[in-house]
Amino acid sequence: MDFSSNGKYLATCADDRTVRIWSTKDFLQREHRSMRANVELDHATLVRFSPDCRAFIVWLANGDTLRVFKMTKREDGGYTFTATPEDFPKKHKASVINIGIADTGKFIMTASSDTTILIWNLKGHVLSTINTNQMNNTHAAISPCSRFVASCGFTPDVKVWEVCFGKKGDFQEVVRAFELKGHSAAVHFFAFSNDSRRMASVSKDGTWKLWDTDVEYKKQQDPYLLRTGCFEEASTMPCRLALSPDAQVLALASGSSIHLYNTRRGEKEECFEQVHGECITDLSFDITGRLLASCGDRAVRLFHNTPGHRAVVEEMQGLLKRASNESTRQRLQQQLTQAQEALRSLGALKK
């Protein structure tokens, strides 16, 4: 599944040969309408919106390739979905584990379970091939700022590359940027914060880590480790991770359960047991950070991010004590009140 960058839609794909586009404004309503795009003679295993939200790409299970769908708005407010005449050429030799489109719209990434990551232009030509040298890839992703592509796998680190373009928008090269080093076993999964200045990782060593990646890596400055938390489940089974846009909350999924951590204190705040009938296959915060979505069986589950509201309350209370001028105090107080109101409405305000 994938949230659109404008926050209006959630796209989901399943092996029933459809991609469904859901309106996020219906999420808190009783009825949830969706628009359906049919995947002819195949089914999609991965789906990603284009940055302008006028198209989406899917990975085809049987075709082993990318297909682009254009979204055309109709007069009645709905959309018509049209697949482009030709799919991308087949290039991967192993099953694909993730795809992504850079927010700049300059490139597409596909990563397979061997050690291959491909960087494509939007017309289906391969710009660069990355060999991650990690024995196998378990996850790969593009950073929200579109500068980086990162991967993790059998090795105890996360490797990050910079995808470089010239001033005229022409592709130049892919170069190593930095690594997240500190785990003692294979890394299952990682995620970026919305501003790409934080990253989180979870490893088979039974820990998760939060990193400050806002560093001058061209001067050989390494990312800073900000926090390490314990997550025993990761030592016995693969898990997925989602980082809230503001990096205040970390969601970890193992099997069919979800655990939410406060990244500032490293403490577990919420646990949702067996929310799906099968293992969770995707986990994502919406762009506001107020909702967390998960999928794994025939349904998408949505959760209120109460730890996120609590983190805002903690942060604003701390900033209020140090605020010197009145306008700052008023702004902080307003954000504090909004977060407290959200918690109160959810029945989650701690006395």
Side-chain angles (χ1 to χ4, degrees):
M1 61 187 177
D2 189 39
F3 282 102
S4 62
S5 59
N6 61 11
K8 291 181 179 178
Y9 302 108
L10 173 69
T12 59
C13 62
D15 50 17
D16 61 2
R17 295 186 173 179
T18 68
V19 173
R20 290 182 181 271
I21 310 290
W22 309 82
S23 172
T24 55
K25 70 174 190 289
D26 292 344
F27 281 177
L28 301 180
Q29 310 299 322
R30 283 212 157 147
E31 295 294 318
H32 304 112
R33 293 186 306 274
S34 68
M35 298 173 282
R36 188 176 80 183
N38 294 318
V39 183
E40 296 294 332
L41 306 172
D42 210 327
H43 70 269
T45 56
L46 296 158
V47 59
R48 295 289 176 264
F49 276 108
S50 64
D52 62 7
C53 309
R54 290 179 187 168
F56 59 85
I57 59 171
V58 299
W59 186 260
L60 299 174
N62 303 323
D64 275 338
T65 186
L66 277 176
R67 180 173 292 172
V68 180
F69 283 83
K70 296 214 166 132
M71 299 166 58
T72 313
K73 198 153 197 176
R74 300 194 306 259
E75 286 183 11
D76 64 1
Y79 281 90
T80 301
F81 305 103
T82 315
T84 50
E86 288 190 23
D87 297 334
F88 277 33
K90 284 188 192 183
K91 295 287 183 182
H92 284 282
K93 294 182 174 65
S95 58
V96 163
I97 55 168
N98 203 17
I99 61 176
I101 309 180
D103 272 0
T104 53
K106 287 181 180 173
F107 69 95
I108 287 171
M109 175 217 76
T110 57
S112 50
S113 61
D114 48 14
T115 59
T116 308
I117 296 175
L118 297 180
I119 304 298
W120 309 72
N121 69 10
L122 300 192
K123 291 183 176 153
H125 301 297
V126 175
L127 301 172
S128 183
T129 302
I130 302 170
N131 178 1
T132 65
N133 291 314
Q134 289 172 310
M135 299 273 285
N136 68 312
N137 299 331
T138 53
H139 183 54
I142 303 174
S143 63
C145 66
S146 299
R147 281 177 67 188
F148 306 114
V149 165
S151 80
C152 64
F154 188 74
T155 57
D157 49 12
V158 177
K159 294 181 178 179
V160 183
W161 291 264
E162 184 177 4
V163 184
C164 305
F165 287 84
K167 287 184 178 172
K168 293 178 181 174
D170 51 314
F171 172 76
Q172 293 185 322
E173 61 179 342
V174 176
V175 295
R176 282 288 280 276
F178 54 87
E179 292 180 8
L180 305 182
K181 290 183 170 177
H183 285 294
S184 59
V187 177
H188 291 304
F189 216 84
F190 65 85
F192 290 91
S193 64
N194 209 32
D195 59 8
S196 305
R197 293 163 72 175
R198 297 284 184 271
M199 285 180 74
S201 55
V202 61
S203 161
K204 201 172 180 181
D205 64 13
T207 68
W208 59 263
K209 293 180 184 292
L210 182 73
W211 311 81
D212 179 350
T213 51
D214 188 19
V215 294
E216 294 188 51
Y217 55 90
K218 286 178 180 170
K219 296 180 180 175
Q220 272 67 57
Q221 192 178 10
D222 291 323
Y224 300 104
L225 178 61
L226 298 173
R227 177 86 56 236
T228 297
C230 191
F231 188 61
E232 287 296 333
E233 289 87 341
S235 59
T236 55
M237 63 167 70
C239 29
R240 298 183 75 88
L241 173 157
L243 187 60
S244 64
D246 61 6
Q248 299 265 29
V249 179
L250 182 66
L252 289 161
S254 64
S256 59
S257 301
I258 299 170
H259 310 258
L260 295 179
Y261 287 81
N262 174 306
T263 56
R264 187 183 293 198
R265 295 192 311 275
E267 294 171 7
K268 188 192 288 193
E269 287 211 16
E270 303 271 0
C271 181
F272 303 108
E273 299 278 359
Q274 290 165 341
V275 292
H276 290 281
E278 297 170 43
C279 283
I280 291 167
T281 53
D282 213 347
L283 192 65
S284 179
F285 285 95
D286 76 327
I287 62 163
T288 67
R290 289 175 191 156
L291 295 172
L292 174 69
S294 69
C295 62
D297 42 28
R298 292 165 63 183
V300 173
R301 305 263 186 266
L302 290 156
F303 305 88
H304 291 286
N305 179 15
T306 50
H309 294 303
R310 286 194 203 108
V312 171
V313 170
E314 279 176 43
E315 187 181 21
M316 294 307 129
Q317 285 172 337
L319 290 171
L320 265 170
K321 287 175 185 171
R322 299 193 297 276
S324 51
N325 66 37
E326 189 55 34
S327 63
T328 304
R329 287 182 64 81
Q330 284 179 354
R331 184 172 50 80
L332 294 171
Q333 185 60 54
Q334 188 180 5
Q335 287 174 270
L336 173 63
T337 304
Q338 282 175 344
Q340 287 172 328
E341 282 299 321
L343 286 169
R344 193 173 287 114
S345 69
L346 297 170
L349 192 64
K350 290 183 176 174
K351 297 289 184 281

